[in-house]
Amino acid sequence: MTPFRQSISALKGIGEKKAVLFHRLDIFTIGDLLTHFPRAYEDRTVCRSIGEAPGDAPCCVSAVVITPARHTKLKHGLELSKLTVADDSGRLAITFFNQRYAADSLLLGREYVFYGTIEGVGSRKHITNPLFEASEAPPFFTRRIVPVYPLTAGLTNRAFSRFVAQALALTDGRIPEPVPDALRSRYHLAHKSFALQAIHFPASMEALELARRRLIWEEFFRFSLALGRLKQRHTDTAGIPIPPVSLEPFLQALPFSLTSAQRRVIHEIAEDCASGPPMRRLVQGDVGSGKTMVAAAAVYLAAKNEMQTAFMAPTELLARQHFHTISPLLQACGISVGLLTGSMRPKEKHAVLQALESGEISLLIGTHALLSERVAFSRLGLVITDEQHRFGVQQRASLAEKGQSPHVLVLSATPIPRTLALILYSDLDLSIVDELPPGRQPVKTFFVGENKRAKLYEFVRKTVLEGRQAYFVCPTITEKEESASERKAVKQYTELLQRDIFPGLRIGCIHGQMAAGEKEQVMQSFSEGGLDLLIATTVIEVGVDVPNAALMIVEDAERFGLSQLHQLRGRVGRGAHESYCFLLSSHPSEETRARLRALCKSNDGFQIAEADLKLRGPGDFFGVRQHGMPKLKIGSLPLDLPLLQEAQSAAAELLARDPHLTEPEHLCLQKTVSALLSQMEGGFS
Ligand code: ADP
Ligand code: MG
């Protein structure tokens, strides 16, 4: 067994109890331990004499113990231990609080290195609770750059680094090197064993930088290889081509003419479907750019070639809405459309399923219910998923398995920068609808404080008087909190508005805990103009389309992400009316102000996504796990984008030469890539 795969209990000092603490950090093997990277470093390399120690910053001093420790008991169980140490430049008084054991371990006449901030001047220099280790011992937590780990209760940083040091010693000389020599020299990458040593115990900041570069590069490299293999797998399969047909009848049935971006993307789709391996394409576009019609055109193409389409939406609300907009349009072209959602009565479901199996229905729109085993198509040729970040790779795949390598179209909800999209979705081809339908006015967005509330309510009245409708959005109480309190918050707020603020207006409310049928009724009534105001949680975030709604007020706006706010704001400004969005925040921090202002200034979802990405900073990048991607352990985006690009082109080149990574020097890579692949395909909820 490679030392990496060995259990951590192979380390001295890790018994069953300790192991549990490590498991909490997702550390099971030596390899897990060595790839549990520090989240920060503390530079303890500065050494001074007692006389020259700065009074305001920590440093190391080497000094000899000249008086033994004396202990004094104080009130409240507090105990003081005092002793004195000295070097050539002077004396230093040391005080320990409740560390009798530490104080007693310092032996008279021996030299130690102490680390801490030395206060006082001249003969009055003193230090409290310093860290220390014997001068003749190898430097461990003094005189070096010390790693700081993300930890869990019960594990100290010092103990943890000791175990890491032990693991490094245990694996010394046996650390596998997955990146081939040629690539390492070409991309100036340090050796893996050096990198692992230096990332935990860097000898210098330069060494740390080399280690980081190497490890981030490898992480992105593996990730790119895995995505590349995924893509290969699909290009290896033969698709059933959808030959082009005239779209004229479809275009005639539309109540508007398509934008040129829509036309271009439809053309890209048609070409892609017409030949070769099955289409696997992501359609990106800002909120309101009209992705649904692009999808409808694809359905038309498939249906006119006697192929069925499955169209999956993340919520029942959205599935129904798609059904209501798409079905009349396609029906007019002689294409029959069915709807399948979890809340339908068994009898209704049964009828739909039968019609589907017999081929009577050409398009089935629905929620996750489409994934059910009982859903069988007679000739599934196209799979569309809307608002893709809510679905995983696995769900997309299991829907596709209902046909024989059908074409796959993914509509993304959140615009992300093109560079990133190309990488994250490198297993898909990319089409971008980069134009809004004509006449769309940008949503005027303002950030306001609590003091403007009364004025805002006045503005709501005025808007309603003009015949428009408005949304109030309340934050969804965090997922873990009682869902009942969310309902209460929205309901109470609705009651308050109805009773005290807008007694004359028709107000409805909608939230995640309502039954699907109920939600549908409220939405229906709002969309038909039966309600003036809709008080909602983020259930309306995706896709909901009511062109007459021209005003949105977001309560506690600081609790939303920027891209999410942009999505929400996209619920207004969908008709020809001038539209407004007010972001309310009662105690905005400077950071909140900056974030929300960014949103007020821009109406471009791609730009906002980029800003959002930067603000969220390193670490887990915007719900990547939801995309089915593994969490990055060391790289962070967009910060390390250049490394990602490097690694990606290296991966593409390597796969072109050795598609299955079977050459002997790629075997180690092949193993880690396969492991990553099965993680990406299998495991996430
Ligand atoms: P999204 O890309 O956010 O999913 P939708 O597909 O929901 O956008 O379209 C937003 C609105 O724009 C819908 O009301 C739709 O009917 C309308 N729409 C789509 N394409 C056009 C067009 N070419 N001209 C005018 N309106 C359009
Ligand atoms: Mg949409």
Side-chain angles (χ1 to χ4, degrees):
M1 181 160 44
T2 71
F4 256 55
R5 304 267 290 276
Q6 238 169 310
S7 153
I8 42 162
S9 42
L11 296 176
K12 269 193 228 97
I14 301 191
E16 258 173 53
K17 265 198 195 144
K18 252 279 145 47
V20 173
L21 297 178
F22 282 86
H23 296 171
R24 253 186 241 156
L25 295 168
D26 265 339
I27 299 173
F28 296 88
T29 63
I30 301 281
D32 296 338
L33 181 63
L34 291 180
T35 51
H36 190 79
F37 298 116
R39 62 173 167 77
Y41 296 85
E42 203 177 314
D43 188 346
R44 297 184 187 164
T45 53
V46 177
C47 292
R48 292 279 182 268
S49 67
I50 292 174
E52 289 173 339
D56 54 358
C59 70
C60 296
V61 295
S62 295
V64 175
V65 179
I66 58 169
T67 67
R70 269 175 312 157
H71 310 291
T72 327
K73 285 213 156 48
L74 302 178
K75 273 187 282 186
H76 310 302
L78 202 63
E79 189 178 23
L80 276 186
S81 307
K82 292 191 172 232
L83 64 132
T84 314
V85 300
D87 68 4
D88 292 346
S89 69
R91 291 170 166 232
L92 173 65
I94 299 183
T95 308
F96 287 104
F97 284 101
N98 287 349
Q99 290 193 29
R100 186 188 187 115
Y101 175 79
D104 283 341
S105 73
L106 287 164
L107 304 177
L108 197 62
R110 288 271 294 273
E111 191 186 54
Y112 297 87
V113 179
F114 298 90
Y115 178 78
T117 301
I118 294 178
E119 293 169 288
V121 288
S123 60
R124 294 222 138 88
K125 297 231 168 192
H126 58 94
I127 188 169
T128 308
N129 287 348
L131 295 168
F132 62 87
E133 59 193 349
S135 284
E136 73 265 17
F140 193 71
F141 47 87
T142 70
R143 294 163 288 171
R144 70 189 300 170
I145 300 166
V146 177
V148 182
Y149 293 96
L151 290 174
T152 180
L155 268 176
T156 66
N157 196 56
R158 205 191 288 191
F160 193 88
S161 0
R162 290 264 184 223
F163 287 121
V164 173
Q166 212 193 123
L168 281 168
L170 186 80
T171 54
D172 191 31
R174 292 189 297 154
I175 290 177
E177 173 54 83
V179 181
D181 291 348
L183 285 177
R184 271 197 303 113
S185 65
R186 181 158 151 213
Y187 289 99
H188 310 291
L189 302 170
H191 206 279
K192 175 122 180 196
S193 56
F194 167 86
L196 281 182
Q197 177 71 42
I199 200 79
H200 291 290
F201 301 108
S204 65
M205 284 303 178
E206 292 73 39
L208 177 59
E209 215 20 72
L210 283 176
R212 274 183 51 81
R213 175 180 161 78
R214 151 67 209 234
L215 293 170
I216 295 173
W217 201 96
E218 182 191 327
E219 180 166 57
F220 286 151
F221 186 54
R222 249 186 294 145
F223 172 70
S224 308
L225 285 171
L227 282 172
R229 298 277 317 262
L230 262 184
K231 189 163 186 172
Q232 269 172 7
R233 241 184 253 170
H234 300 297
T235 44
D236 286 351
T237 48
I240 305 169
I242 301 180
V245 296
S246 162
L247 280 172
E248 251 341 284
F250 172 75
L251 298 176
Q252 292 297 327
L254 282 174
F256 39 68
S257 56
L258 293 177
T259 64
S260 54
Q262 283 171 316
R263 283 170 195 275
R264 192 193 68 243
V265 171
I266 292 170
H267 183 71
E268 285 165 5
I269 292 170
E271 277 209 318
D272 200 354
C273 289
S275 64
M279 169 174 75
R280 301 176 46 76
R281 185 167 289 273
L282 172 72
V283 175
Q284 277 225 81
D286 208 342
V287 195
S289 57
K291 296 180 289 281
T292 318
M293 284 311 147
V294 168
V299 176
Y300 181 87
L301 278 177
K304 290 299 165 188
N305 281 287
E306 312 300 327
M307 281 187 221
Q308 290 174 306
T309 301
F311 191 155
M312 185 161 70
T315 64
E316 177 131 6
L317 204 62
L318 211 54
R320 285 180 187 273
Q321 183 183 290
H322 282 332
F323 180 72
H324 289 307
T325 48
I326 295 177
S327 90
L329 192 71
L330 291 180
Q331 306 268 18
C333 304
I335 296 168
S336 75
V337 183
L339 176 71
L340 187 75
T341 66
S343 70
M344 278 165 48
R345 262 173 272 131
K347 225 172 155 183
E348 291 175 295
K349 277 190 198 164
H350 186 72
V352 172
L353 289 177
Q354 266 199 331
L356 185 72
E357 205 160 352
S358 70
E360 226 174 284
I361 288 179
S362 296
L363 166 63
L364 182 62
I365 300 178
T367 53
H368 293 86
L370 296 193
L371 296 172
S372 148
E373 264 170 42
R374 289 165 45 225
V375 178
F377 293 79
S378 73
R379 197 159 179 254
L380 179 63
L382 174 63
V383 167
I384 304 175
T385 53
D386 191 12
E387 317 297 353
Q388 103 109 19
H389 69 298
R390 308 245 171 153
F391 295 113
V393 177
Q394 186 56 36
Q395 283 169 320
R396 239 197 281 149
S398 58
L399 189 54
E401 272 159 23
K402 292 180 181 291
Q404 276 188 341
S405 322
H407 301 273
V408 173
L409 192 64
V410 176
L411 310 180
S412 120
T414 329
I416 58 174
R418 190 187 177 95
T419 39
L420 214 52
L422 282 171
I423 289 158
L424 279 183
Y425 299 101
S426 64
D427 64 321
L428 304 177
D429 293 306
L430 182 62
S431 286
I432 302 183
V433 190
D434 49 4
E435 185 186 352
L436 295 181
R440 256 330 136 60
Q441 308 199 30
V443 180
K444 294 196 170 136
T445 307
F446 301 94
F447 164 45
V448 294
E450 202 49 40
N451 56 340
K452 294 278 164 50
R453 190 176 283 278
K455 266 198 168 152
L456 208 52
Y457 286 158
E458 207 36 61
F459 189 72
V460 173
R461 281 189 200 99
K462 184 171 150 269
T463 304
V464 172
L465 267 180
E466 285 168 3
R468 304 285 84 76
Q469 292 161 281
Y471 295 103
F472 276 79
V473 181
C474 309
T476 312
I477 317 292
T478 55
E479 281 163 38
K480 286 208 184 78
E481 278 173 72
E482 273 294 291
S483 47
S485 54
E486 172 192 332
R487 178 169 56 231
K488 203 167 134 207
V490 175
K491 270 181 88 171
Q492 275 184 349
Y493 190 47
T494 308
E495 280 163 19
L496 174 103
L497 287 177
Q498 183 79 76
R499 195 182 58 224
D500 298 344
I501 318 282
F502 305 118
L505 303 189
R506 298 162 303 164
I507 307 180
C509 100
I510 187 164
H511 54 76
Q513 270 68 52
M514 276 162 65
E518 242 183 303
K519 273 193 255 182
E520 156 85 351
Q521 261 177 10
V522 175
M523 235 20 252
Q524 185 71 20
S525 147
F526 186 67
S527 128
E528 286 165 354
L531 293 171
D532 303 309
L533 306 183
L534 185 61
I535 321 302
T537 58
T538 49
V539 289
I540 59 155
E541 175 190 341
V542 281
V544 170
D545 188 27
V546 180
N548 191 47
L551 171 61
M552 171 172 286
I553 289 162
V554 183
E555 299 276 351
D556 298 325
E558 74 278 357
R559 294 177 56 176
F560 300 88
L562 280 189
S563 290
Q564 196 181 16
L565 284 171
H566 180 64
Q567 275 292 321
L568 280 167
R569 167 173 73 174
R571 300 312 107 215
V572 296
R574 299 177 84 83
H577 317 289
E578 182 140 57
S579 299
Y580 298 89
C581 175
F582 289 91
L583 307 171
L584 267 168
S585 177
S586 37
H587 305 289
S589 63
E590 238 349 277
E591 190 231 324
T592 301
R593 282 172 201 278
R595 281 179 55 218
L596 297 183
R597 284 210 191 100
L599 200 73
C600 298
K601 271 195 272 175
S602 175
N603 256 293
D604 179 339
F606 288 94
Q607 252 177 33
I608 288 161
E610 204 145 0
D612 206 11
L613 214 58
K614 285 208 180 100
L615 286 168
R616 287 190 199 195
D620 201 7
F621 56 134
F622 63 102
V624 160
R625 283 170 81 71
Q626 287 171 326
H627 291 92
M629 302 300 163
K631 192 170 170 174
L632 293 175
K633 281 193 157 185
I634 182 162
S636 69
L637 289 170
L639 231 56
D640 297 316
L641 196 60
L643 281 183
L644 176 52
Q645 277 158 340
E646 235 179 79
Q648 185 151 50
S649 64
E653 232 174 86
L654 190 75
L655 285 178
R657 243 185 332 128
D658 182 13
H660 301 285
L661 301 177
T662 43
E663 283 174 22
E665 59 167 353
H666 299 154
L667 286 182
C668 177
L669 260 183
Q670 187 200 51
K671 263 193 211 147
T672 74
V673 169
S674 305
L676 189 60
L677 263 177
S678 54
Q679 195 188 333
M680 278 160 64
E681 293 188 312
F684 66 103
S685 48

